[in-house]
Every structure is written in C-alpha cells, then in structure tokens.
C-alpha cells in the first residue's frame, strides 16, 4: 500500500472567485501564507475545480454570470468535501438564508472585512477540510485493511479445505490398506479402547464392548502379559503373540 501524504494547510489550495480584480488581489495578499488561485469568472472557476483539487472556495455574492450562492451550491453538489465561504456586501436576510439552505454555507465574510477576521475564517475552513480529508484517508486505509483481512481469511479457508481433503484422502488410503490386510489388526488407546479395527479383526470380535480384552477375549481386565501394557510402560514397540496383532 502506498503511503498517503497527509493534507496540510499549506498544501491545500484556495480558490477565490470575484469579478473585481482589486478584491482578488487584496485577498491574495492577505492570504499569502497559503497557495491561492484567483478567478474573475464563475464558468472558468468551475473548469478549474474540475482540473485540480481545492480545499476552500471563496466567492462573491454579486457576479454577472451567476450569483455566489448558486455557484457555491453547484460546488457543494459536485464536491461536498470542499469548504465554501461567501463574500457579501449585502447583509440581506434572504441571501443568508439561501446561502445556508441551498449551498450549505456556514462561513460568511462581509465587505469590507478585517484582515484578521478573514485569516481566521479561512484558517478555520482549511482546518475543517484537512480533518475531512484525513478522516477519508484513514477510512480508506481501514477499508483496505479489512479487504486484505477478508482476502486472507478466504485464502485460509481454501487452504483448510484443501488440507481437509488431503487428510480425508490419506485416511481413505490408509483405511483401504488395513482393510486389505489378511491378518486382523486393531488400534487401541492407552485405556485399551478400540480406535480402529480392520474387517478381519471385526469378524473375530465376540461382543460390542469398546475394550479390546472384552470384545476379543471376554476378559474382565487387560490380559496378563499384554504387550500393549508393556509398550505403554516401556515406550518400546512390541507385538502380541497369537491371532491378534496389536499396534
């Protein structure tokens, strides 16, 4: 996974849209701490936003091609993560209501403005944009990790299924081998209980008891001199003598 670069305020681009060149120059000087692009045409601004990423867009309300509320509403529709600021020389209640309801604008700068206020408003917008973008990157990283975990689990499930098939095939092969033996063969655990027996050993069983000494010899306890007991005690392999072979 490629390391994603953190979005910083200085890296975030600002776009100012105002048909008055003097306003654009003044804003650019005031906000010279950040990368800023100015534009006098709304239509040109829409083209610029399609070509590069902006974190904050500031627009005047009164413009010839399209008013600022309509323009910022279109920006919000296309790029909801971009933070928008409306310049207005008209403190008209209807304008503010349109800006809030239609464009989702929460930041306003009245003309004329105090430079400190403009810097504070833009700085707050940049910080909010940065938080949104970082959250998006973290969310994408989390989603990517989750996708990797899902893929890993699927691979593990496939491997487990393949291993189960291999073990099943090996067991069938092993079981077929002991069934093909002409001599009786039984497998028992440390408590003398039957684990497996081939067909010949099954035919020689005298009852359905799970204990070898009962089902094979009708004995009430392990046979005297039982090689299995000696094997358990000594840890060395031995064979029984007689009709039944222990393993």
């Amino acid at each position: 996974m490629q390391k994603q670069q953190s979005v910083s305020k200085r890296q975030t681009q600002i776009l100012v849209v105002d048909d008055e060149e003097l306003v654009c120059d003044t804003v650019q000087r005031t906000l010279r701490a950040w990368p800023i692009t100015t534009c006098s045409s709304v239509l040109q601004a829409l083209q610029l936003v399609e070509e590069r990423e902006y974190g904050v867009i500031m627009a005047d309300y009164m413009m010839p091609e399209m008013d600022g509320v309509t323009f910022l509403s279109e920006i919000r529709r296309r790029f909801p993560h971009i933070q928008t600021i409306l310049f207005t020389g008209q403190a008209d209640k209807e304008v503010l209501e349109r800006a809030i309801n239609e464009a989702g604008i929460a930041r306003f700068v009245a003309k004329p403005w105090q430079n400190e206020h403009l810097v504070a408003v833009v700085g707050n917008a940049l910080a909010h944009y940065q938080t949104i973008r970082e959250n998006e990157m973290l969310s994408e990283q989390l989603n990517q990790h989750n996708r990797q975990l899902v893929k890993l689990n699927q691979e593990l499930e496939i491997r487990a299924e393949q291993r189960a098939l291999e073990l099943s095939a090996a067991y069938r092969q092993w079981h077929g081998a002991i069934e093909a033996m002409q001599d009786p063969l039984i497998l028992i655990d440390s408590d003398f209980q039957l684990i497996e027996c081939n067909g010949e050993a099954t035919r020689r069983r005298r009852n359905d008891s799970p204990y070898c000494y009962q089902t094979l010899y009708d004995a009430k306890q392990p046979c005297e001199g039982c090689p299995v007991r000696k094997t358990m005690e000594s840890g060395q392999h031995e064979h029984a003598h007689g009709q039944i072979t222990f393993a």
Side-chain angles (χ1 to χ4, degrees):
M1 180 183 63
Q2 294 182 346
K3 184 178 181 181
Q4 293 177 309
Q5 188 176 17
S6 175
V7 179
S8 70
K9 293 179 182 179
R10 289 190 177 274
Q11 293 172 326
T12 304
Q13 296 287 328
I14 301 171
L15 177 62
V16 177
V17 185
D18 198 307
D19 60 326
E20 297 183 27
E21 185 176 350
L22 178 61
V23 172
C24 290
D25 292 342
T26 302
V27 173
Q28 191 166 32
R29 287 196 303 270
T30 305
L31 303 178
R32 59 186 175 274
W34 295 294
I36 186 168
T37 301
T38 61
C39 180
S40 60
S41 167
V42 170
L43 299 180
Q44 182 184 359
L46 289 173
Q47 182 63 35
L48 288 174
V49 177
E50 292 289 346
E51 295 173 354
R52 67 186 305 177
E53 181 177 357
Y54 292 94
V56 176
I57 295 181
M58 310 167 68
D60 186 29
Y61 172 69
M62 296 293 294
M63 288 186 290
E65 298 169 322
M66 184 186 302
D67 69 71
V69 174
T70 303
F71 166 66
L72 294 178
S73 296
E74 182 64 16
I75 293 296
R76 182 191 184 192
R77 185 184 68 82
R78 297 188 191 181
F79 310 97
H81 59 282
I82 294 179
Q83 301 301 295
T84 54
I85 300 173
L86 182 68
F87 285 125
T88 177
Q90 303 178 10
D92 188 277
K93 181 179 178 181
E94 182 180 352
V95 171
L96 297 180
E97 288 180 350
R98 280 191 60 215
I100 294 172
N101 296 330
E102 295 180 17
I105 300 172
R107 299 175 181 87
F108 304 88
V109 174
K111 294 180 178 181
W113 62 78
Q114 295 291 326
N115 287 345
E116 294 80 2
H117 175 67
L118 178 62
V119 171
V121 170
V122 173
N124 181 269
L126 288 169
H128 190 64
Y129 171 81
Q130 180 184 21
T131 299
I132 292 174
R133 295 295 289 150
E134 288 179 348
N135 287 340
E136 288 176 350
M137 287 188 288
L138 290 173
S139 178
E140 175 57 29
Q141 290 175 359
L142 179 60
N143 291 335
Q144 186 171 357
H145 290 160
N146 288 337
R147 290 192 294 268
Q148 291 174 345
L149 287 174
V150 169
K151 182 179 179 181
L152 179 60
N153 286 334
Q154 291 174 341
E155 291 175 353
L156 290 175
E157 289 176 359
I158 292 174
R159 292 179 184 178
E161 184 177 354
Q162 291 174 342
R163 182 57 177 165
L165 292 174
E166 291 172 358
L167 291 175
S168 178
Y171 174 79
R172 290 194 301 270
Q173 185 178 9
W174 171 81
H175 191 267
I178 67 171
E179 285 296 325
M181 296 177 62
Q182 296 181 354
D183 294 328
L185 175 68
I186 65 171
L187 301 178
I188 64 173
D189 61 19
S190 58
D191 294 324
F192 302 97
Q193 293 194 56
L194 297 179
I195 298 175
E196 188 79 40
C197 59
N198 66 359
E200 185 59 30
T202 300
R203 285 190 288 272
R204 301 193 183 195
R205 293 181 63 176
R206 301 184 180 184
N207 52 56
D208 294 330
S209 171
Y211 296 98
C212 61
Y213 53 85
Q214 291 179 348
T215 191
L216 297 174
Y217 302 112
D218 275 337
K220 294 183 180 180
Q221 58 185 3
C223 305
E224 185 177 351
C226 174
V228 176
R229 175 178 291 176
K230 292 180 181 180
T231 299
M232 298 293 182
E233 294 173 353
S234 66
Q236 297 180 356
H237 179 73
E238 293 188 33
H239 294 280
H241 298 282
Q243 295 181 331
I244 302 297
T245 299
F246 294 88

